[in-house]
Every structure is written in structure tokens, then in C-alpha cells.
Coordinates of all heavy atoms in Angstrom, one line a residue:
M1 N -11.0 5.9 11.6 CA -11.6 7.1 11.0 C -10.5 8.1 10.7 O -9.5 8.2 11.4 CB -12.5 7.8 12.0 CG -13.1 9.1 11.5 SD -14.0 10.1 12.6 CE -15.5 9.2 12.7
Y2 N -10.6 8.7 9.6 CA -9.6 9.6 9.1 C -10.2 11.0 8.8 O -11.3 11.1 8.2 CB -9.0 9.1 7.8 CG -8.4 7.7 7.9 CD1 -9.1 6.6 7.7 CD2 -7.1 7.6 8.4 CE1 -8.5 5.3 7.9 CE2 -6.5 6.4 8.6 CZ -7.2 5.2 8.3 OH -6.7 4.0 8.5
T3 N -9.5 12.0 9.2 CA -10.0 13.4 8.9 C -9.1 13.9 7.8 O -7.9 14.0 7.9 CB -9.9 14.3 10.2 OG1 -10.6 13.7 11.2 CG2 -10.4 15.7 9.9
V4 N -9.8 14.2 6.7 CA -9.1 14.7 5.5 C -9.7 16.0 5.1 O -10.9 16.3 5.4 CB -9.0 13.7 4.4 CG1 -8.2 12.4 4.8 CG2 -10.4 13.3 4.0
P5 N -9.0 16.8 4.3 CA -9.6 18.0 3.8 C -10.7 17.8 2.9 O -10.8 16.8 2.2 CB -8.4 18.7 3.0 CG -7.4 17.7 2.9 CD -7.6 16.6 3.8
K6 N -11.7 18.7 2.8 CA -12.8 18.6 2.0 C -12.7 19.8 0.9 O -12.3 20.9 1.3 CB -14.1 18.9 2.7 CG -14.3 17.9 3.8 CD -15.1 16.7 3.3 CE -15.5 15.8 4.5 NZ -15.0 14.5 4.4
L7 N -13.0 19.4 -0.3 CA -12.9 20.4 -1.4 C -14.1 21.4 -1.3 O -15.2 20.9 -1.2 CB -12.9 19.7 -2.7 CG -12.6 20.6 -3.9 CD1 -11.3 21.2 -3.8 CD2 -12.7 19.8 -5.2
S8 N -13.8 22.7 -1.3 CA -14.9 23.6 -1.1 C -15.1 24.5 -2.4 O -15.8 25.5 -2.3 CB -14.7 24.5 0.1 OG -13.5 25.2 0.0
V9 N -14.4 24.3 -3.4 CA -14.5 25.1 -4.6 C -15.1 24.3 -5.8 O -15.2 23.0 -5.7 CB -13.1 25.6 -5.1 CG1 -12.5 26.5 -4.0 CG2 -12.2 24.5 -5.4
K10 N -15.6 24.9 -6.8 CA -16.3 24.3 -7.9 C -15.5 24.4 -9.2 O -16.0 23.9 -10.2 CB -17.7 24.8 -8.0 CG -18.5 24.8 -6.8 CD -19.0 23.4 -6.5 CE -19.9 23.4 -5.3 NZ -19.8 22.2 -4.5
E11 N -14.4 25.1 -9.3 CA -13.7 25.3 -10.5 C -13.3 23.9 -11.1 O -12.7 23.1 -10.4 CB -12.5 26.2 -10.4 CG -12.8 27.6 -10.1 CD -13.1 27.9 -8.6 OE1 -13.1 27.0 -7.8 OE2 -13.2 29.1 -8.3
K12 N -13.6 23.8 -12.4 CA -13.4 22.5 -13.0 C -11.9 22.0 -12.9 O -11.7 20.8 -12.6 CB -13.8 22.6 -14.5 CG -13.7 21.3 -15.2 CD -14.1 21.4 -16.7 CE -13.9 20.0 -17.4 NZ -14.2 20.0 -18.8
D13 N -11.0 22.8 -13.2 CA -9.6 22.4 -13.1 C -9.1 21.9 -11.7 O -8.4 21.0 -11.6 CB -8.6 23.4 -13.7 CG -8.7 24.7 -13.0 OD1 -9.7 25.1 -12.4 OD2 -7.7 25.4 -13.0
I14 N -9.6 22.6 -10.7 CA -9.3 22.3 -9.4 C -10.0 20.9 -9.0 O -9.4 20.1 -8.4 CB -9.7 23.4 -8.4 CG1 -8.9 24.6 -8.7 CG2 -9.6 22.9 -6.9 CD1 -9.2 25.9 -7.9
V15 N -11.3 20.8 -9.4 CA -12.0 19.6 -9.1 C -11.3 18.4 -9.8 O -11.2 17.3 -9.2 CB -13.5 19.7 -9.5 CG1 -14.2 18.4 -9.4 CG2 -14.2 20.7 -8.7
E16 N -10.9 18.5 -11.0 CA -10.2 17.5 -11.7 C -8.9 17.1 -11.0 O -8.6 15.9 -10.9 CB -9.9 17.8 -13.2 CG -11.2 17.9 -14.0 CD -11.0 18.4 -15.4 OE1 -9.8 18.8 -15.8 OE2 -11.9 18.4 -16.2
T17 N -8.1 18.1 -10.6 CA -6.9 17.8 -9.9 C -7.1 17.1 -8.6 O -6.5 16.1 -8.3 CB -6.1 19.1 -9.7 OG1 -5.8 19.7 -11.0 CG2 -4.8 18.9 -8.9
W18 N -8.1 17.6 -7.9 CA -8.5 17.0 -6.6 C -8.9 15.5 -6.8 O -8.5 14.7 -6.1 CB -9.6 17.8 -6.0 CG -10.1 17.2 -4.7 CD1 -11.2 16.4 -4.5 CD2 -9.6 17.5 -3.4 NE1 -11.3 16.0 -3.2 CE2 -10.4 16.7 -2.5 CE3 -8.6 18.2 -2.9 CZ2 -10.2 16.7 -1.1 CZ3 -8.4 18.2 -1.5 CH2 -9.2 17.5 -0.6
S19 N -9.8 15.3 -7.8 CA -10.3 14.0 -8.0 C -9.2 13.0 -8.4 O -9.3 11.8 -8.1 CB -11.3 14.0 -9.1 OG -12.4 14.8 -8.7
S20 N -8.1 13.4 -9.0 CA -7.0 12.5 -9.4 C -6.1 12.3 -8.2 O -5.4 11.3 -8.1 CB -6.3 13.0 -10.6 OG -5.6 14.2 -10.3
W21 N -6.0 13.3 -7.3 CA -5.1 13.3 -6.1 C -5.7 12.6 -4.9 O -5.0 11.9 -4.2 CB -4.7 14.7 -5.8 CG -4.0 14.9 -4.5 CD1 -2.7 14.7 -4.3 CD2 -4.5 15.4 -3.3 NE1 -2.3 15.0 -3.0 CE2 -3.5 15.4 -2.4 CE3 -5.8 15.7 -2.9 CZ2 -3.6 15.8 -1.1 CZ3 -6.0 16.1 -1.5 CH2 -4.9 16.2 -0.7
Y22 N -7.0 12.8 -4.7 CA -7.6 12.4 -3.4 C -7.6 10.9 -3.2 O -7.3 10.4 -2.1 CB -9.1 12.9 -3.4 CG -9.7 12.5 -2.1 CD1 -9.5 13.2 -0.9 CD2 -10.5 11.4 -1.9 CE1 -10.0 12.9 0.3 CE2 -11.1 11.0 -0.7 CZ -10.8 11.8 0.4 OH -11.4 11.4 1.6
P23 N -7.8 10.0 -4.2 CA -7.7 8.6 -4.0 C -6.4 8.1 -3.4 O -6.3 7.3 -2.6 CB -8.0 7.9 -5.3 CG -8.8 9.0 -6.0 CD -8.3 10.3 -5.6
N24 N -5.3 8.7 -3.9 CA -4.0 8.4 -3.4 C -3.8 8.8 -2.0 O -3.2 8.1 -1.1 CB -2.9 9.0 -4.3 CG -2.8 8.4 -5.6 OD1 -3.3 7.4 -5.9 ND2 -2.1 9.1 -6.5
L25 N -4.4 10.0 -1.6 CA -4.3 10.4 -0.2 C -5.1 9.4 0.7 O -4.6 9.0 1.8 CB -5.0 11.8 -0.1 CG -5.1 12.3 1.4 CD1 -3.7 12.5 2.0 CD2 -5.9 13.6 1.4
D26 N -6.2 9.0 0.3 CA -7.0 8.0 1.0 C -6.2 6.7 1.2 O -6.1 6.2 2.4 CB -8.3 7.7 0.3 CG -9.2 6.9 1.2 OD1 -9.5 7.2 2.3 OD2 -9.7 5.9 0.6
I27 N -5.6 6.2 0.2 CA -4.8 5.0 0.3 C -3.6 5.2 1.2 O -3.3 4.4 2.1 CB -4.3 4.5 -1.1 CG1 -5.5 4.0 -2.0 CG2 -3.3 3.4 -1.0 CD1 -5.2 3.9 -3.4
H28 N -3.0 6.3 1.1 CA -1.8 6.7 1.9 C -2.2 6.7 3.4 O -1.5 6.1 4.2 CB -1.2 8.0 1.4 CG 0.0 8.4 2.1 ND1 1.2 7.8 1.9 CD2 0.2 9.3 3.1 CE1 2.1 8.3 2.7 NE2 1.6 9.2 3.4
E29 N -3.2 7.4 3.7 CA -3.6 7.5 5.1 C -4.0 6.2 5.7 O -3.7 5.9 6.8 CB -4.7 8.6 5.3 CG -4.2 10.0 5.0 CD -2.9 10.4 5.7 OE1 -2.8 10.1 7.0 OE2 -2.0 11.0 5.1
K30 N -4.6 5.4 4.9 CA -5.0 4.0 5.4 C -3.7 3.2 5.6 O -3.7 2.3 6.5 CB -5.9 3.4 4.4 CG -7.3 3.9 4.5 CD -8.3 3.3 3.5 CE -9.7 3.9 3.7 NZ -10.6 3.5 2.6
G31 N -2.7 3.5 4.8 CA -1.4 2.8 5.1 C -0.8 3.2 6.4 O -0.3 2.3 7.2
H32 N -0.9 4.5 6.8 CA -0.5 4.9 8.1 C -1.3 4.2 9.2 O -0.8 3.8 10.2 CB -0.6 6.4 8.3 CG 0.6 7.2 7.6 ND1 1.9 7.1 8.0 CD2 0.5 8.1 6.6 CE1 2.6 7.9 7.3 NE2 1.8 8.5 6.4
G33 N -2.6 4.1 8.9 CA -3.5 3.5 9.9 C -3.1 2.0 10.1 O -3.1 1.5 11.2
Q34 N -2.8 1.3 9.0 CA -2.4 -0.1 9.1 C -1.1 -0.2 9.9 O -0.9 -1.1 10.7 CB -2.2 -0.7 7.7 CG -1.8 -2.2 7.7 CD -2.9 -3.0 8.4 OE1 -4.1 -2.8 8.3 NE2 -2.5 -4.0 9.2
L35 N -0.1 0.7 9.7 CA 1.1 0.6 10.5 C 0.8 0.8 12.0 O 1.3 0.1 12.8 CB 2.1 1.8 10.1 CG 2.9 1.5 8.8 CD1 3.6 2.8 8.4 CD2 3.8 0.4 9.0
A36 N -0.1 1.8 12.3 CA -0.5 2.0 13.7 C -1.1 0.7 14.3 O -0.8 0.4 15.4 CB -1.4 3.2 13.8
K37 N -1.9 0.1 13.5 CA -2.6 -1.2 14.0 C -1.5 -2.3 14.3 O -1.6 -3.0 15.3 CB -3.6 -1.7 13.1 CG -4.9 -0.8 13.0 CD -5.8 -1.2 11.9 CE -6.9 -0.2 11.7 NZ -7.8 -0.6 10.6
E38 N -0.6 -2.4 13.4 CA 0.5 -3.4 13.5 C 1.3 -3.1 14.8 O 1.6 -4.1 15.5 CB 1.3 -3.4 12.3 CG 0.7 -4.0 11.1 CD 1.4 -3.8 9.8 OE1 2.6 -3.4 9.8 OE2 0.9 -4.0 8.7
F39 N 1.6 -1.9 15.0 CA 2.4 -1.6 16.2 C 1.6 -1.6 17.5 O 2.1 -2.0 18.5 CB 3.1 -0.2 16.0 CG 4.4 -0.3 15.3 CD1 4.5 -0.3 13.9 CD2 5.6 -0.5 16.0 CE1 5.7 -0.4 13.3 CE2 6.8 -0.6 15.4 CZ 6.8 -0.6 14.0
A40 N 0.3 -1.4 17.4 CA -0.6 -1.6 18.6 C -0.5 -3.1 19.0 O -0.5 -3.4 20.2 CB -2.0 -1.2 18.3
V41 N -0.6 -4.0 18.0 CA -0.5 -5.4 18.4 C 0.9 -5.7 19.0 O 1.0 -6.5 20.0 CB -0.7 -6.3 17.1 CG1 -0.4 -7.7 17.3 CG2 -2.2 -6.1 16.6
K42 N 2.0 -5.2 18.4 CA 3.3 -5.4 19.0 C 3.4 -4.9 20.4 O 4.0 -5.6 21.3 CB 4.4 -4.7 18.1 CG 4.6 -5.3 16.8 CD 5.7 -4.5 16.0 CE 5.9 -5.1 14.6 NZ 7.0 -4.5 13.9
I43 N 2.8 -3.7 20.7 CA 2.9 -3.2 22.0 C 2.1 -4.1 23.0 O 2.5 -4.4 24.0 CB 2.3 -1.7 22.1 CG1 3.3 -0.8 21.4 CG2 2.1 -1.3 23.5 CD1 2.8 0.6 21.1
D44 N 0.9 -4.5 22.5 CA 0.0 -5.4 23.3 C 0.8 -6.7 23.7 O 0.8 -7.1 24.8 CB -1.3 -5.7 22.6 CG -2.2 -6.4 23.4 OD1 -2.5 -6.0 24.6 OD2 -2.7 -7.5 23.0
K45 N 1.4 -7.3 22.7 CA 2.2 -8.5 22.9 C 3.3 -8.3 23.9 O 3.6 -9.1 24.8 CB 2.6 -9.1 21.6 CG 1.5 -9.8 20.8 CD 2.1 -10.3 19.5 CE 0.9 -11.0 18.7 NZ 1.4 -11.5 17.4
A46 N 4.1 -7.2 23.7 CA 5.2 -6.9 24.5 C 4.8 -6.7 26.0 O 5.5 -7.2 26.9 CB 5.9 -5.6 24.0
L47 N 3.7 -6.0 26.2 CA 3.3 -5.8 27.6 C 2.6 -7.1 28.1 O 2.9 -7.3 29.3 CB 2.2 -4.7 27.6 CG 2.7 -3.3 27.1 CD1 1.6 -2.3 27.2 CD2 3.9 -2.8 28.0
A48 N 2.0 -7.8 27.4 CA 1.3 -9.1 27.9 C 2.3 -10.1 28.3 O 2.0 -11.0 29.1 CB 0.4 -9.6 26.8
T49 N 3.5 -10.1 27.7 CA 4.5 -11.1 28.0 C 5.5 -10.7 29.0 O 6.5 -11.4 29.3 CB 5.3 -11.5 26.7 OG1 5.9 -10.3 26.1 CG2 4.3 -12.1 25.7
M50 N 5.3 -9.5 29.6 CA 6.2 -9.0 30.7 C 6.1 -9.9 31.9 O 5.1 -10.4 32.3 CB 5.9 -7.6 31.1 CG 6.3 -6.6 30.0 SD 6.0 -4.9 30.5 CE 7.2 -4.7 31.8
K51 N 7.3 -10.2 32.5 CA 7.3 -11.0 33.7 C 7.1 -10.1 34.9 O 7.2 -8.8 34.8 CB 8.7 -11.6 33.9 CG 9.2 -12.4 32.7 CD 8.3 -13.7 32.7 CE 8.9 -14.6 31.5 NZ 7.8 -15.3 30.9
P52 N 6.7 -10.6 36.1 CA 6.5 -9.8 37.3 C 7.7 -9.0 37.6 O 8.8 -9.4 37.4 CB 6.1 -10.9 38.3 CG 5.7 -12.1 37.6 CD 6.4 -12.1 36.3
R53 N 7.5 -7.9 38.3 CA 8.6 -7.1 38.7 C 8.5 -6.9 40.3 O 7.5 -7.3 40.9 CB 8.5 -5.7 38.1 CG 8.6 -5.7 36.6 CD 9.9 -6.2 36.1 NE 10.2 -5.9 34.7 CZ 9.9 -6.6 33.6 NH1 9.2 -7.7 33.8 NH2 10.2 -6.2 32.4
E54 N 9.6 -6.3 40.8 CA 9.7 -6.2 42.2 C 8.5 -5.4 42.8 O 8.0 -5.7 43.9 CB 11.0 -5.5 42.5 CG 11.7 -5.8 43.8 CD 13.0 -5.1 43.9 OE1 13.9 -5.6 43.2 OE2 13.1 -4.2 44.7
N55 N 8.1 -4.4 42.1 CA 7.0 -3.6 42.6 C 6.3 -2.9 41.4 O 6.8 -2.9 40.2 CB 7.4 -2.5 43.6 CG 8.4 -1.5 43.1 OD1 8.2 -0.9 42.1 ND2 9.5 -1.4 43.8
C56 N 5.2 -2.2 41.6 CA 4.4 -1.6 40.6 C 5.1 -0.5 39.8 O 5.0 -0.3 38.6 CB 3.1 -1.1 41.1 SG 1.9 -2.4 41.6
N57 N 5.9 0.3 40.6 CA 6.7 1.4 40.0 C 7.7 0.8 38.9 O 7.8 1.4 37.9 CB 7.4 2.2 41.0 CG 6.4 3.0 41.8 OD1 5.3 3.3 41.4 ND2 6.8 3.4 43.1
I58 N 8.4 -0.2 39.3 CA 9.3 -0.8 38.3 C 8.5 -1.4 37.1 O 9.0 -1.2 36.0 CB 10.2 -1.9 39.0 CG1 11.1 -1.3 40.1 CG2 11.0 -2.7 38.0 CD1 11.8 -2.2 41.0
L59 N 7.5 -2.1 37.4 CA 6.6 -2.6 36.3 C 6.2 -1.5 35.3 O 6.3 -1.6 34.1 CB 5.4 -3.4 36.8 CG 4.5 -3.9 35.8 CD1 5.2 -5.0 34.9 CD2 3.2 -4.5 36.4
E60 N 5.7 -0.4 35.9 CA 5.2 0.7 35.1 C 6.4 1.3 34.3 O 6.2 1.6 33.1 CB 4.6 1.8 36.0 CG 4.1 3.0 35.2 CD 3.6 4.1 36.1 OE1 3.8 4.1 37.4 OE2 2.9 5.0 35.6
S61 N 7.5 1.5 34.9 CA 8.7 2.1 34.2 C 9.1 1.2 33.1 O 9.3 1.6 31.9 CB 9.8 2.3 35.2 OG 11.0 2.7 34.5
D62 N 9.2 -0.1 33.3 CA 9.6 -1.1 32.3 C 8.6 -1.1 31.2 O 9.0 -1.2 30.0 CB 9.9 -2.5 32.9 CG 11.1 -2.5 33.8 OD1 11.9 -1.5 33.8 OD2 11.3 -3.5 34.4
A63 N 7.3 -1.2 31.5 CA 6.3 -1.2 30.5 C 6.3 0.1 29.6 O 6.2 0.0 28.4 CB 4.9 -1.3 31.1
N64 N 6.5 1.2 30.2 CA 6.6 2.4 29.5 C 7.8 2.4 28.5 O 7.7 2.9 27.4 CB 6.6 3.6 30.4 CG 5.3 4.0 30.9 OD1 4.2 3.8 30.3 ND2 5.2 4.6 32.1
K65 N 8.9 1.9 29.0 CA 10.1 1.9 28.2 C 9.8 1.0 26.9 O 10.2 1.4 25.8 CB 11.3 1.3 28.9 CG 11.9 2.3 29.9 CD 13.0 1.6 30.7 CE 13.4 2.5 31.9 NZ 14.4 1.8 32.8
K66 N 9.2 -0.1 27.1 CA 8.9 -1.0 26.0 C 8.0 -0.3 25.0 O 8.2 -0.3 23.8 CB 8.3 -2.3 26.5 CG 9.2 -3.3 27.1 CD 8.4 -4.5 27.5 CE 9.4 -5.6 28.1 NZ 10.0 -6.4 27.2
A67 N 6.9 0.3 25.5 CA 5.9 0.9 24.7 C 6.5 2.1 24.0 O 6.2 2.3 22.8 CB 4.7 1.3 25.5
Y68 N 7.3 2.9 24.6 CA 7.8 4.1 24.0 C 8.9 3.7 22.9 O 9.0 4.3 21.9 CB 8.5 5.1 25.0 CG 7.4 5.8 25.8 CD1 7.4 5.9 27.2 CD2 6.5 6.6 25.1 CE1 6.5 6.6 27.9 CE2 5.5 7.3 25.8 CZ 5.5 7.3 27.2 OH 4.6 8.0 27.9
R69 N 9.6 2.6 23.2 CA 10.6 2.2 22.2 C 9.8 1.8 20.9 O 10.2 2.1 19.8 CB 11.4 1.0 22.7 CG 12.4 0.4 21.7 CD 13.2 -0.8 22.2 NE 12.3 -1.8 22.8 CZ 11.6 -2.7 22.1 NH1 11.6 -2.7 20.7 NH2 10.9 -3.6 22.7
L70 N 8.7 1.0 21.1 CA 7.9 0.6 19.9 C 7.3 1.8 19.3 O 7.1 1.9 18.0 CB 6.9 -0.4 20.3 CG 7.5 -1.8 20.6 CD1 6.5 -2.7 21.3 CD2 8.0 -2.5 19.3
M71 N 6.9 2.8 20.0 CA 6.3 4.0 19.4 C 7.3 4.7 18.6 O 7.0 5.3 17.5 CB 5.7 4.9 20.5 CG 4.4 4.4 21.1 SD 3.1 4.2 20.0 CE 2.8 5.9 19.5
D72 N 8.6 4.7 19.1 CA 9.7 5.3 18.3 C 9.9 4.6 17.0 O 10.1 5.2 15.9 CB 11.0 5.4 19.1 CG 11.0 6.4 20.2 OD1 10.1 7.3 20.1 OD2 11.8 6.3 21.1
E73 N 9.7 3.2 17.1 CA 9.8 2.4 15.8 C 8.7 2.7 14.9 O 8.9 2.8 13.7 CB 9.8 0.9 16.2 CG 11.1 0.5 16.9 CD 11.1 -1.0 17.2 OE1 10.3 -1.8 16.5 OE2 11.8 -1.4 18.1
L74 N 7.5 3.0 15.4 CA 6.4 3.4 14.6 C 6.6 4.7 13.9 O 6.4 4.9 12.7 CB 5.1 3.4 15.4 CG 3.8 4.0 14.7 CD1 3.5 3.2 13.4 CD2 2.7 4.1 15.6
K75 N 7.2 5.6 14.6 CA 7.5 6.9 14.0 C 8.5 6.8 12.9 O 8.3 7.4 11.8 CB 8.1 7.9 15.0 CG 7.1 8.4 16.0 CD 7.8 9.3 17.0 CE 6.8 9.7 18.2 NZ 7.5 10.4 19.3
E76 N 9.4 5.9 13.0 CA 10.4 5.7 12.0 C 9.8 4.9 10.8 O 10.0 5.3 9.6 CB 11.6 4.9 12.5 CG 12.7 4.6 11.5 CD 13.3 5.9 10.9 OE1 13.4 7.0 11.6 OE2 13.7 5.9 9.8
A77 N 8.9 4.0 11.1 CA 8.2 3.3 10.0 C 7.3 4.2 9.2 O 7.3 4.1 8.0 CB 7.4 2.1 10.6
N78 N 6.7 5.2 9.9 CA 5.9 6.2 9.2 C 6.7 7.1 8.3 O 6.4 7.4 7.2 CB 5.0 7.0 10.2 CG 3.8 6.3 10.6 OD1 3.1 5.8 9.8 ND2 3.5 6.3 11.9
K79 N 7.9 7.5 8.8 CA 8.8 8.3 8.0 C 9.3 7.5 6.8 O 9.3 8.1 5.7 CB 10.1 8.7 8.8 CG 9.8 9.8 9.9 CD 11.1 10.1 10.6 CE 10.8 11.0 11.8 NZ 12.0 11.3 12.6
Q80 N 9.6 6.3 6.9 CA 10.1 5.5 5.8 C 8.9 5.3 4.8 O 9.2 5.3 3.6 CB 10.6 4.1 6.3 CG 11.9 4.2 7.0 CD 12.4 2.9 7.6 OE1 11.8 1.9 7.3 NE2 13.4 3.0 8.4
Y81 N 7.7 5.1 5.3 CA 6.5 4.9 4.4 C 6.3 6.2 3.6 O 6.1 6.1 2.4 CB 5.3 4.6 5.3 CG 4.0 4.5 4.6 CD1 3.8 3.5 3.7 CD2 3.0 5.4 4.9 CE1 2.5 3.4 3.0 CE2 1.8 5.3 4.2 CZ 1.6 4.3 3.3 OH 0.3 4.3 2.7
D82 N 6.4 7.3 4.3 CA 6.3 8.6 3.6 C 7.3 8.8 2.5 O 7.0 9.2 1.4 CB 6.3 9.8 4.6 CG 5.0 10.0 5.3 OD1 3.9 9.5 4.8 OD2 5.0 10.6 6.4
A83 N 8.6 8.4 2.9 CA 9.7 8.6 1.9 C 9.4 7.6 0.7 O 9.6 8.0 -0.5 CB 11.0 8.3 2.6
R84 N 9.1 6.4 1.0 CA 8.9 5.4 0.0 C 7.7 5.7 -1.0 O 7.8 5.4 -2.2 CB 8.6 4.0 0.7 CG 8.6 2.8 -0.2 CD 8.6 1.5 0.6 NE 7.4 1.4 1.4 CZ 7.4 1.5 2.8 NH1 8.5 1.7 3.4 NH2 6.2 1.3 3.4
T85 N 6.7 6.4 -0.5 CA 5.5 6.7 -1.3 C 5.5 8.1 -1.7 O 4.5 8.6 -2.3 CB 4.2 6.4 -0.5 OG1 4.2 7.2 0.7 CG2 4.2 4.9 -0.1
N86 N 6.5 8.9 -1.3 CA 6.5 10.3 -1.6 C 5.3 11.0 -1.0 O 4.5 11.7 -1.7 CB 6.7 10.7 -3.0 CG 7.1 12.1 -3.2 OD1 7.7 12.8 -2.3 ND2 6.9 12.7 -4.4
H87 N 4.9 10.6 0.2 CA 3.7 11.1 0.9 C 2.4 10.8 0.1 O 1.5 11.6 0.1 CB 3.8 12.6 1.2 CG 5.0 12.9 2.2 ND1 4.8 12.9 3.5 CD2 6.3 13.2 1.9 CE1 6.0 13.2 4.1 NE2 6.8 13.4 3.2
G88 N 2.4 9.7 -0.5 CA 1.2 9.2 -1.2 C 1.2 9.5 -2.7 O 0.3 8.9 -3.4
E89 N 2.1 10.3 -3.2 CA 2.1 10.6 -4.6 C 2.3 9.4 -5.5 O 1.8 9.3 -6.6 CB 3.2 11.6 -5.0 CG 2.7 13.0 -4.7 CD 3.7 14.0 -5.2 OE1 4.3 13.8 -6.3 OE2 3.9 15.1 -4.5
S90 N 3.1 8.4 -5.0 CA 3.4 7.3 -5.9 C 2.5 6.0 -5.6 O 2.9 4.9 -6.0 CB 4.9 6.9 -5.7 OG 5.1 6.5 -4.4
Q91 N 1.4 6.3 -4.9 CA 0.5 5.1 -4.7 C -0.5 4.9 -5.7 O -1.3 5.5 -6.1 CB -0.1 5.3 -3.3 CG 1.0 5.1 -2.2 CD 0.5 5.2 -0.8 OE1 0.1 6.2 -0.4 NE2 0.6 4.1 -0.2

């Protein structure tokens, strides 16, 4: 689910601009959603393949490190996606 702005004016020129811009925004946000889904799978696989640890605290710490590293990669992937698409303008 995506929360996006709703147009609340009726002026023809604004409606025309919005109508030409909005589809790109929708595509763009779905692209961010797809990146998030891909990284969720990566995180799931990384955690599922972890070997046993000495204790739960070590396991938790190592799992968090893996997940946070992948979240950092997701942040970078989103930045690159925004730069590549000019925040959806070129989609």
C-alpha cells in the first residue's frame, strides 16, 4: 500500500499537470516497494542461513548486524534509484 498526495483543486491547468505527473509517481513508488521486497528476501535468507551461536545474545547481535548491513544497502539502492530516475521524472 502506498500513501500519495491527493489532488484537491479543480483548476484545469493544475489537473492537467497532475494527470501527466501522477502516473510516473505511482511507477516510481512501486519501484521503491520492489526494492524493499527484494531486500526483505535477502534479509530473510541471511538470517535463515545463520549458524548456531554460543548464546542468544551473540545470535541476536550477529543477526542485527546482518540485517542492518542489508538495510544500509537498501538505503543506498533507493538513493541510486532516485538519482537514476530523477525521483520518478524520467520514468
Side-chain angles (χ1 to χ4, degrees):
M1 176 189 283
Y2 302 93
T3 302
V4 293
K6 302 269 188 240
L7 188 61
S8 62
V9 297
K10 304 286 186 215
E11 288 85 354
K12 184 179 177 186
D13 58 334
I14 295 173
V15 171
E16 287 174 0
T17 300
W18 177 268
S19 296
S20 67
W21 169 81
Y22 184 81
N24 290 348
L25 173 64
D26 187 51
I27 292 167
H28 182 75
E29 292 308 315
K30 286 179 181 172
H32 281 295
Q34 184 59 41
L35 283 171
K37 290 174 188 174
E38 290 169 11
F39 274 86
V41 169
K42 289 181 182 185
I43 290 169
D44 187 52
K45 286 180 180 178
L47 297 179
T49 59
M50 289 183 69
K51 303 291 185 217
R53 300 298 197 270
E54 212 174 288
N55 63 51
C56 290
N57 289 336
I58 294 171
L59 177 63
E60 179 182 15
S61 176
D62 291 352
N64 281 333
K65 286 176 189 173
K66 285 180 181 275
Y68 285 127
R69 180 183 50 79
L70 287 165
M71 289 299 296
D72 288 341
E73 289 180 23
L74 172 59
K75 286 178 192 174
E76 184 58 33
N78 277 315
K79 285 180 188 178
Q80 290 175 8
Y81 175 67
D82 282 337
R84 191 172 59 252
T85 63
N86 196 26
H87 296 273
E89 279 188 36
S90 64
Q91 290 184 290

